[in-house]
Amino acid sequence: MTTNISECINAVMKCSHNLPITALVKSSYFRLDELFARKGSEALAQLQVGAEFSQTLMKAIEFNSKHMNTMNVYQFDRSRTNFTFEELVAVPGSRQQNYQVLLDERKCDCGYFQALHIPCRHVLAACFHARLDWKRFVHPVYRLESVFNVYRSEFRPIGHEDD
């Protein structure tokens, strides 16, 4: 995590080496302004075409759904919230072959569902099996309205130092 943070800071400070503090702050401010304007425009464009989630999330869902047909699903309750999965084909990165999903508790043994708050392949398979909408198991922060609200704020131009 420390490496990721330092890489992010290095990316923000790129082209700002050896600048005085005032110029460094000003450079960072303008770069963030540019980022917010660009990301806000992208989110607005996706909202205007009717997208509910970001393209990145939809790619992750598509990737996770590719493995749904490689497992047996066992439903353990009438309320359609408790499932066990037996994977028939080894999936790269998997530690085990049997997983339990508790939809009402938003838990899966793989840990992906709890960590990222988006449906893993097991949750997608459970939703498909129980005829539930997987979208209700996506955290609201991934909705485009939430993303757009982050970038809704606008930066004010920096006035002259004498003002």
Side-chain angles (χ1 to χ4, degrees), residues 11-23:
V12 170
M13 298 300 177
K14 188 177 181 181
C15 303
S16 301
H17 302 289
N18 300 323
L19 291 176
I21 295 297
T22 305

Side-chain angles (χ1 to χ4, degrees), residues 127-163:
C127 289
F128 180 76
H129 181 79
R131 293 176 178 76
L132 298 172
D133 186 9
W134 60 265
K135 294 176 183 177
R136 71 184 232 202
F137 297 103
V138 176
H139 194 279
V141 76
Y142 290 103
R143 297 193 179 279
L144 274 175
E145 297 93 22
S146 298
V147 172
F148 180 69
N149 285 335
V150 168
Y151 297 112
R152 180 176 290 213
S153 299
E154 294 184 4
F155 286 69
R156 294 178 181 257
I158 298 176
H160 193 271
E161 291 178 9
D162 295 338
D163 293 341

